[in-house]
Amino acid sequence: MSVMIGEILTLALMAFALGMDAFSVGLGMGMYKLRLRQIAKIGITIGLFHVWMPLLGMIAGRFLSNTFGAIAGYAGGGLLLLLGVQMIWSSFRDDEDSLITPVGIGLMIFALSVSLDSFSVGLSLGIYGAKTLLVLMFFGAGATILTWAGLLTGRKVQSWIGSYSEALGGAILLAFGIKLLFL
């Protein structure tokens, strides 16, 4: 029972970490004064991408795990480390990537760009044999809710919060990568 609670807690924290990227980008997008209907559509789209991308990653990760065994486990931990460092590093860059408007094909590109990191995490989770349905529910719901929160908050606050939220997400993924590699 405690193993299941630990897995749920771990997945919830990972979903939060991945959703922080969507939250931070949503903060910037929220400054466009989007209507609530647009905000709902953007959140659902990003949530769906946060379901499909880790699913693809988990399928690839399970294949790698079966093929390469223990080496794949270290690769999964290394991916989380790299992803965490990349998120932290990108949170301190000065350039703004929000040139894409969240409408039509731009919304698809926007959703894909904020969900690419969930593919890598899905790859790691597939290597470790995590429960697929649980992962997808947490990642999809977490990304949707945090995107909505970012978009709504972006309408009200300064954009400097975005970089700190992405750094927090990166720190969480970095910690999980260290845990998988060394514990």
Side-chain angles (χ1 to χ4, degrees):
M1 181 67 168
S2 65
V3 172
M4 182 65 161
I5 291 171
E7 185 173 1
I8 288 172
L9 182 61
T10 298
L11 290 176
L13 285 171
M14 288 181 118
F16 177 77
L18 289 172
M20 289 307 284
D21 191 29
F23 176 82
S24 64
V25 174
L27 278 172
M29 284 293 172
M31 307 260 176
Y32 287 126
K33 300 288 185 188
L34 301 168
R35 290 180 285 151
L36 290 178
R37 185 177 185 145
Q38 290 172 302
I39 288 173
K41 186 177 179 180
I42 292 167
I44 290 169
T45 303
I46 289 173
L48 289 173
F49 270 79
H50 271 80
V51 169
W52 285 107
M53 293 303 286
L55 177 61
L56 294 173
M58 289 180 81
I59 291 168
R62 290 213 171 106
F63 170 76
L64 289 174
S65 178
N66 292 336
T67 305
F68 299 107
I71 295 171
Y74 291 114
L79 279 173
L80 288 177
L81 278 174
L82 289 173
L83 185 58
V85 168
Q86 185 273 331
M87 283 179 71
I88 292 169
W89 180 73
S90 70
S91 72
F92 294 108
R93 290 192 328 217
D94 290 334
D95 62 337
E96 292 296 322
D97 297 321
S98 60
L99 297 174
I100 300 170
T101 58
V103 179
I105 192 71
L107 174 57
M108 296 301 158
I109 294 169
F110 174 64
L112 180 65
S113 70
V114 298
S115 65
L116 281 175
D117 52 357
S118 64
F119 176 83
S120 301
V121 173
L123 186 66
S124 300
L125 292 173
I127 289 169
Y128 285 103
K131 292 173 180 50
T132 304
L133 186 59
L134 204 56
V135 169
L136 300 180
M137 286 179 7
F138 273 105
F139 285 15
T144 300
I145 291 167
L146 286 169
T147 300
W148 286 338
L151 290 166
L152 293 170
T153 305
R155 296 169 79 177
K156 306 243 184 257
V157 299
Q158 305 282 334
S159 63
W160 61 268
I161 294 174
S163 64
Y164 294 114
S165 65
E166 190 173 356
L168 174 62
I172 291 170
L173 291 180
L174 184 68
F176 280 115
I178 291 169
K179 179 184 180 238
L180 292 176
L181 283 174
F182 299 112
L183 300 178

